Amino acid sequence: MKRKLIRTLIVLVVLVLIYDVNFRTKTVTYFGEDANWSIKINSKLVGLNGSYRIEVQYKGSKSIEYIDFNIHPPHYEAGIPSLDKKGFYHWECKDDCGFYDKEDELLFFIVWKEDNRSEEKMRFINLKKIPTNWWK
């Protein structure tokens, strides 16, 4: 009788672990903003496949010539070709990407140049981790 109970518990634990690794989706959101920028990173892990979406919104009133940004940690760097008419930029990696969830905060460093200006502007924005499915 004891052996049957132990085998049943082992099978149950193995099934729960297989479900957790293969079917459970973990999502994490990082968010931060200042007077000029609003930054949001949505990171998702399905099984062993990570994906993420970066949303950058310019809240200022000037016209932007170019933008570069870095995210630390992990190190990720991108140049933004252009913002849309509402001041948004979206970048999405859907398959076999990294999964941001290890840090409570990410540091977002952004450099931009406004049209018809010679100087660049730069900011550091702290992105705070907001777990979106902590109950699952």
Side-chain angles (χ1 to χ4, degrees), residues 4 28 30-31 39 43 51 54 60 64 81 86 105 108 114 116 128 134 136:
K4 243 183 180 178
V28 174
Y30 288 91
F31 180 77
I39 313 298
S43 189
S51 64
I54 300 172
I64 301 296
K86 295 181 180 180
E105 284 189 10
F108 191 89
E114 297 171 350
N116 302 322
K128 305 272 186 195
W134 56 270
K136 293 182 182 179

Side-chain angles (χ1 to χ4, degrees), residues 21-32:
V21 168
N22 290 318
F23 301 109
R24 186 173 150 206
T25 301
K26 289 176 62 177
T27 58
V28 174
T29 299
Y30 288 91
F31 180 77

Side-chain angles (χ1 to χ4, degrees), residues 13 16 29 34 45 53 56 64 85-86 89 104 110 116:
V13 167
V16 168
T29 299
D34 69 1
L45 183 65
R53 177 184 176 110
V56 177
I64 301 296
K85 292 179 182 179
K86 295 181 180 180
Y89 170 77
D104 289 332
I110 189 164
N116 302 322

Side-chain angles (χ1 to χ4, degrees), residues 27-58:
T27 58
V28 174
T29 299
Y30 288 91
F31 180 77
E33 64 183 337
D34 69 1
N36 290 313
W37 299 98
S38 176
I39 313 298
K40 185 176 181 182
I41 300 175
N42 292 313
S43 189
K44 182 160 85 171
L45 183 65
V46 179
L48 300 174
N49 187 22
S51 64
Y52 59 87
R53 177 184 176 110
I54 300 172
E55 299 174 10
V56 177
Q57 179 188 8
Y58 177 63

Side-chain angles (χ1 to χ4, degrees), residues 8-103:
T8 303
L9 288 175
I10 290 172
V11 168
L12 182 62
V13 167
V14 168
L15 288 175
V16 168
L17 289 174
I18 289 172
Y19 170 80
D20 193 42
V21 168
N22 290 318
F23 301 109
R24 186 173 150 206
T25 301
K26 289 176 62 177
T27 58
V28 174
T29 299
Y30 288 91
F31 180 77
E33 64 183 337
D34 69 1
N36 290 313
W37 299 98
S38 176
I39 313 298
K40 185 176 181 182
I41 300 175
N42 292 313
S43 189
K44 182 160 85 171
L45 183 65
V46 179
L48 300 174
N49 187 22
S51 64
Y52 59 87
R53 177 184 176 110
I54 300 172
E55 299 174 10
V56 177
Q57 179 188 8
Y58 177 63
K59 300 187 308 183
S61 60
K62 306 288 184 188
S63 181
I64 301 296
E65 186 175 316
Y66 78 87
I67 302 168
D68 288 314
F69 66 83
N70 293 293
I71 301 170
H72 301 280
H75 181 73
Y76 177 80
E77 181 175 352
I80 298 176
S82 66
L83 300 171
D84 68 13
K85 292 179 182 179
K86 295 181 180 180
F88 282 95
Y89 170 77
H90 301 277
W91 167 254
E92 191 166 7
C93 183
K94 294 183 179 183
D95 191 33
D96 200 22
C97 310
F99 176 63
Y100 299 108
D101 80 329
K102 304 224 183 300
E103 306 293 329

